[in-house]
Each structure stands twice: as C-alpha cells, then as structure tokens.
Amino acid sequence: MARDAVTVRAGRRPGYLVVVGWDFSTEPEFQAQLDWMREFVREEVWPIETVFDELGTEGFERAVAPLKERVRERGLWAAHLPPELGGQGFGQVKLGLMHEILGTSPFAPVVFGNQAPDSGNSEILALAGTEDQKEQWLHPLLAGHLRSAFSMTEPDSAGSDPTLLQTRAVEDSDGWVINGHKWFSTNASVADFLIVMAVTDTEANRYRRASMFIVAADAPGVRILRDVPTMEHPYERYGIHGGHAEVLYEDVRVPKDALLGARGAGFLIAQQRLGPGRIHHCMRWLGVSRRAFDMLCERALSRYSHGSLLAEKQTVQNWIADSAAQMQAARLMTLHAAWKMDTEGASAARQEIALIKFYGAGVLHDVVDRALQAHGSLGYSTDLPLEQMYRFARAARLYDGPDEVHRQSAARQILRGYEAPAGGVPSEHVPSRREAARARFAELLEAVTAND
Ligand SMILES: Cc1cc2nc3c(=O)[nH]c(=O)nc-3n(C[C@H](O)[C@H](O)[C@H](O)COP(=O)(O)OP(=O)(O)OC[C@H]3O[C@@H](n4cnc5c(N)ncnc54)[C@H](O)[C@@H]3O)c2cc1C
C-alpha cells in the first residue's frame, strides 16, 4: 500500500501512515476560546452594525464598553501584544485564527483591542519605542485613552515604492523639523498622535534613508486638511473614525526623543510590523468571505428562476465550488505563512506573505462579487451588507502594497532559486534531452535495433 505522507493525530494512526511534523488540529483549550469568540462576535457584535450610525460615537463607545470588559475577563484583549504589555504573546497561527473570526464584523477588532491602525502602531511602539515613549504613548494607547495614525503614503510619490518618499525631517540643535504632504493616513483626523515616516538621510542606501517619528496631532504645523472621500465614504465628512486624512506637515518641530527607533531604521521597523499585519488582514478577509459565501449558499437555496432554484444552475454551482476551493486555498496558504513566521521568523516567510497578500485579496473580491451577483438588485442595495463588503474588498487590493508589487516581490524571490539554462536552451528541450539519452542508452538501443 502506498505510504501517504499525511499527518494524523496521535491515537488515530493507521499502521501504514508515515507521520510528518505537520498538524492541522487546534489545541482543545484554544479551540474553546475560538468557539466562544465565534458565538460572542455573532451574538453581541454583529447587531451593532445595523445601528452604528444611529448610536453615534458616544453611543457606540457605551455599547462596546461592557463587551470589551468580557473580552478582558476571557483573557483575549490585545492578544497580539506580549504578556508584559497585557497581551497574550500568541504566535501568528493563533492570532490568525482569531482574526478570521474578528474579520466577520468591522467592529469586532475594536471590541478585542486590536483595531487598525492602533494595533500595528502599538506593535511598532512595543518593538522600537524607548521606555519613556512607551510610558507617554503606548500605555495610554492600549488603555484606549489615545488614538493613533500611521502617516507614510504621499499624494506626490508612489506609495508602492516608499524609497521615493519626499517628506523630510532635518535635525537641528533642538530636535527635528518635519516638512511634507501625506494622505490616506487612516484615522489621522481623530488621532492624538501620528507615526510619521520621513527621510532623514538623503544620501544613505535607499532602504536606510527614512526614519519614524512620533508627532502629536496638535503640534504646531500639523494641518489635517480633510478626510478624503473614498468608495467607503463617498461624501466628504471630517473627523470620522476610519476616515483617510490628507495631512500637511509644515515646519513641524519635534524634540530629539520623537525619533522612534534608530535613525534610518524606518523601513526595517515597517517591515517587521507589516508581516504579521498582512497575515491578520488575510485572515480577516476570510472572515468576510465566509459571511458572503454563507449568503451566496442561502440565496441559491431560496431564489427560483427559469424553472429551478439558483442552486440547480451550473453557473451558481460553479460559484459555490470555486469560492469554497479558493477560500480553502487562501486559508491554508495564510496559516502556513503564519506557521512559517512562528517557526522560522518574519524574513523567512517573506515569499509566503507576498503570495497571500494578493491571492487573499483576490479571493475576497471574487467571493463577495459572486454573492452580490446572486442577490441581484438586493445585493447591490444597502438592505444587505454585500455592497459594503464589495467596497471594502476593493481597497484590500491596494493598501499594504498593491497586488502588482506583491506579485513582483514573490516572483523575484522565486526566481532567485533558478538560473538561466546554458546557452539559452531550455533544460526540458526534447531534442537535446533525446540526444543525451541516446548517448546514455547507446548499447541498449543498438541491441534493440540489432534484434529488428
Ligand atoms: C483604505 C486604505 C487605507 C490606507 N491606510 C493608510 C495608512 O493608514 N497610512 C498610510 O501611510 N497609507 C495608507 N494607505 C495608502 C496605501 O498604502 C497606498 O495607497 C498603497 O501603498 C499604494 O500607493 P499609491 O496609492 O501611491 O499607489 P502607486 O504607488 O501610485 O501605485 C498605483 C498603481 O501602480 C501600479 N504599480 C505600482 N508599482 C508597480 C509595480 N512595481 N509593478 C506593476 N504595477 C505597479 C499598481 O497597479 C498600483 O495600484 C491606505 C490606502 C487605502 C486604500
């Protein structure tokens, strides 16, 4: 019998199977936490979605305060942080599984203390901040007393190539002076402080030119111009949570200790933050995809047209099967990237992370699009959350690096494992291989021919 290299759990191992060090099971205590989360998010957080606008900011805070308390009691608050900062120190696989559940509602990350961009910014501060910076910015951020933004992208330079950044920070005897123009700084219009990426060393290697700074939002010279209207919020509104602000930094003076991490280490710190962030994004997208997929299946079983239910049309069956296959592929790829990061470190997982970023964003887009299509005009209307999911899905192909850049990065890394064939002849070139094989089997071929 063939010896299948599959993993089975101890105690259920048929004699013929070879066990490899690979396991898809979740430890029972953590599975119990995930089960609790799934029910809690569905029962307590999903209902808030439909009355969010009516609640307003204050009402929303009041609605989520007791829920946050329950998350803390359960030991799941800000789980991405190390235990000394009140988190769980969970590895990326566990965090990934949690984010799959949190992704089902835009408000679940808020209730679990890891909403973007505060979660990523708290990681940066935990990673690179001095004790004083942690005291002043990180602890109040974690306690929910402050809000933050990450300010890197600029309207006048390509965000997909941050080595082109134009914002400058110049050192003088008192500290630093920052000048620049940013946009899409999420939450900047409601933030208390911004983490700003600026070029400090124009002559350095392109990846050592930029540094990060902590800038108070009310520092003289910080001008939050507007929240840019987007597919998400098409009408101009200012000061909204989740708004993407355009910001001018005009001779903004910050003290020396506003420098976050080493001078020139801006990209290095950003990379360390972005790896886990992308895994969390991809798992949250799967949470959204699953919700859309459930709607697709429900609709297929209830809508009747041209003599049968949609469930009986092959196109709709293809949508269901393709969506299930794509979601499963994205989930396994993402958890594998998380496992690699946990076991071998962030830089070893770079290729896997590049693959999931564009693949996962595409899966989200496709699944939501099919679910929306299956609902016809109901899907396009705001009577269902699908149109909102669709707008959300479109942005996923841009933020944290557009698809094309991740494809380019993955392809470059893959190509490092190859070299051009000698003389430009493909190594699979059949006539060349045949010639070599004829030389190798000359005796045998001669004997066969002699027998003819
Ligand atoms: C919802 C949302 C939230 C965001 N939040 C933040 C935030 O909090 N802070 C922040 O600093 N930024 C944020 N951004 C900005 C985001 O990171 C940038 O939009 C992104 O990095 C792309 O930069 P860009 O918009 O300047 O596009 P560009 O760099 O101008 O790229 C435009 C297009 O050019 C093509 N392209 C670029 N490079 C290549 C290549 N190598 N090969 C092939 N094609 C290529 C791609 O199709 C790409 O989409 C956010 C964006 C969105 C949509």
Side-chain angles (χ1 to χ4, degrees):
M1 184 172 292
R3 309 188 90 209
D4 294 336
V6 294
T7 302
V8 288
R9 293 170 66 180
R12 287 204 273 129
R13 183 196 314 172
Y16 62 87
L17 288 174
V18 176
V19 178
V20 297
W22 201 346
D23 195 339
F24 294 98
S25 62
T26 311
E27 60 194 56
E29 304 79 51
F30 191 66
Q31 186 58 52
Q33 289 284 50
L34 293 175
D35 294 343
W36 177 83
M37 278 181 73
R38 192 165 287 112
E39 174 152 356
F40 176 77
V41 169
R42 194 183 179 107
E43 296 303 318
E44 306 293 340
V45 182
W46 286 20
I48 295 173
E49 295 166 8
T50 56
V51 289
F52 174 70
D53 284 335
E54 286 169 59
L55 283 170
T57 309
E58 207 191 312
F60 174 72
E61 291 302 335
R62 282 175 57 192
V64 295
L67 304 184
K68 288 180 180 177
E69 212 38 60
R70 286 175 63 188
V71 170
R72 280 199 176 89
E73 283 163 15
R74 194 83 197 179
L76 292 170
W77 177 257
H80 58 292
L81 290 170
E84 64 272 19
L85 291 171
Q88 297 301 316
F90 284 157
Q92 297 306 324
V93 171
K94 282 187 172 173
L95 288 174
L97 292 166
M98 288 179 68
H99 276 277
E100 186 178 19
I101 299 169
L102 299 185
T104 61
S105 173
F107 305 117
V110 179
V111 172
F112 282 75
N114 53 21
Q115 76 279 13
D118 290 340
S119 53
N121 289 339
S122 63
E123 278 180 293
I124 293 180
L125 286 162
L127 189 80
T130 61
E131 285 313 310
D132 284 347
Q133 286 171 335
K134 286 181 189 167
E135 195 58 38
Q136 189 177 356
W137 305 106
L138 177 58
H139 297 301
L141 181 67
L142 294 176
H145 300 146
L146 294 182
R147 284 187 185 160
S148 66
F150 185 71
S151 195
M152 180 160 92
T153 307
E154 302 172 344
D156 303 323
S157 70
S160 44
D161 182 0
T163 64
L164 302 172
L165 283 180
Q166 294 177 1
T167 299
R168 297 276 182 271
V170 178
E171 194 173 18
D172 67 11
S173 53
D174 298 331
W176 297 87
V177 181
I178 302 174
N179 277 288
H181 184 187
K182 304 282 189 183
W183 79 340
F184 275 80
S185 300
T186 303
N187 278 359
S189 65
V190 293
D192 300 283
F193 70 96
L194 307 105
I195 296 182
V196 181
M197 186 84 112
V199 173
T200 43
D201 303 277
T202 46
E203 301 307 314
N205 168 296
R206 354 199 263 125
Y207 297 103
R208 305 282 307 172
R209 271 177 211 163
S211 306
M212 286 190 188
F213 293 89
I214 305 173
V215 179
D218 60 2
V222 176
R223 288 179 54 210
I224 314 277
L225 299 182
R226 57 173 180 152
D227 277 325
V228 181
T230 61
M231 278 177 81
E232 197 181 350
H233 303 290
Y235 306 106
E236 188 135 357
R237 289 194 288 177
Y238 183 79
I240 48 165
H241 188 84
H244 308 295
E246 182 171 357
V247 190
L248 269 184
Y249 299 88
E250 289 178 328
D251 289 328
V252 178
R253 194 161 263 293
V254 292
K256 286 206 186 293
D257 62 8
L259 180 67
L260 178 55
R263 179 175 179 153
F267 292 134
L268 192 70
I269 302 169
Q271 277 311 321
Q272 284 167 323
R273 174 212 173 197
L274 288 171
R278 285 173 183 146
I279 289 175
H280 306 167
H281 276 317
C282 290
M283 291 304 286
R284 283 198 298 269
W285 297 339
L286 283 165
V288 180
S289 303
R290 180 78 218 188
R291 214 168 148 180
F293 180 76
D294 289 346
M295 283 189 261
L296 168 62
C297 294
E298 205 181 75
R299 173 76 166 188
L301 291 170
S302 66
R303 195 66 162 180
Y304 185 89
S305 156
H306 287 91
S308 68
L309 287 170
L310 294 188
E312 288 154 51
K313 319 273 184 211
Q314 191 160 37
T315 294
V316 178
Q317 291 169 346
N318 288 346
W319 287 347
I320 291 169
D322 288 349
S323 300
Q326 284 176 280
M327 288 192 302
Q328 176 77 334
R331 189 169 193 269
L332 291 174
M333 284 168 72
T334 310
L335 290 173
H336 174 252
W339 171 83
K340 193 154 182 185
M341 194 175 248
D342 284 345
T343 52
E344 295 177 41
S347 62
R350 278 182 63 205
Q351 183 182 313
E352 284 75 10
I353 288 171
L355 291 175
I356 60 166
K357 172 65 178 62
F358 74 80
Y359 187 74
V363 171
L364 169 68
H365 178 272
D366 291 353
V367 176
V368 172
D369 186 51
R370 291 171 190 138
L372 194 152
Q373 187 75 8
H375 283 84
S377 43
L378 176 61
Y380 190 72
S381 79
T382 58
D383 283 1
L384 283 182
L386 286 165
E387 60 79 36
Q388 188 264 338
M389 289 178 180
Y390 189 79
R391 289 181 283 120
F392 171 79
R394 194 61 190 79
R397 295 185 48 206
L398 292 168
Y399 58 72
D400 263 13
D403 290 355
E404 295 76 10
V405 171
H406 289 288
R407 283 196 168 94
Q408 173 179 286
S409 160
R412 278 186 179 157
Q413 291 172 64
I414 290 164
L415 286 171
R416 280 190 206 123
Y418 289 82
E419 54 187 30
V425 181
S427 33
E428 292 278 3
H429 186 240
V430 173
S432 311
R433 287 172 56 216
R434 187 179 294 125
E435 201 182 314
R438 277 184 180 147
R440 183 169 167 183
F441 298 112
E443 260 182 50
L444 195 58
L445 287 167
E446 208 175 320
V448 173
T449 321
N451 287 340
D452 282 348

